Amino acid sequence: MSVKSQFEQRVEKLVATKELLPLSTRIAQVNDLTEWYFQQTGKRYDNSYFLDQLGTYLLADTLRDKGTHKVKQAEYPILSETQKKLRNRRESRVGDENLDFIKLKVVDNTPNAFKKKTQNKDE
């Protein structure tokens, strides 16, 4: 079994643990694992998927936070994928027509930008 596959198995085992250990313990685990790989190969690990998994493992307590006001309460909030989707659904999106109107009205300072022009008819 190669060192790379052993490293990947160890990463998968770490990420699969359900028990949330203290952050200092998780940092020590990740440091030990990456140092072990470096000592075995003399190179840094280069597969971004497994490095991302280690980063997710370190941020587990932040990502597991289900608070609805996470963005307001935390200085640097990190949203999980489901929280990102929910936030995007809740935010109202401004269409291109609205952006054009805002640009003409505010930026270009044309107050009568989209008023309809009518002709006065003699009755």
Side-chain angles (χ1 to χ4, degrees), residues 52-69:
D52 181 57
Q53 291 296 314
L54 287 175
T56 302
Y57 177 68
L58 290 174
L59 295 172
D61 52 350
T62 305
L63 293 173
R64 290 181 184 180
D65 180 14
K66 303 288 184 200
T68 55
H69 300 292

Side-chain angles (χ1 to χ4, degrees), residues 15-56:
V15 172
T17 57
K18 299 293 181 192
E19 180 185 355
L20 188 59
L21 300 172
L23 180 61
S24 58
T25 306
R26 287 179 281 157
I27 290 172
Q29 288 175 326
V30 170
N31 282 338
D32 291 344
L33 187 57
T34 54
E35 285 298 318
W36 172 83
Y37 183 82
F38 185 77
Q39 288 173 355
Q40 296 293 320
T41 62
K43 300 177 188 175
R44 294 177 191 250
Y45 188 75
D46 60 353
N47 188 331
S48 61
Y49 172 76
F50 288 100
L51 294 176
D52 181 57
Q53 291 296 314
L54 287 175
T56 302

Side-chain angles (χ1 to χ4, degrees), residues 69-83:
H69 300 292
K70 184 191 274 189
V71 175
K72 291 180 183 178
Q73 295 171 349
E75 186 174 355
Y76 298 106
I78 300 172
L79 300 178
S80 66
E81 290 299 321
T82 48
Q83 288 172 329

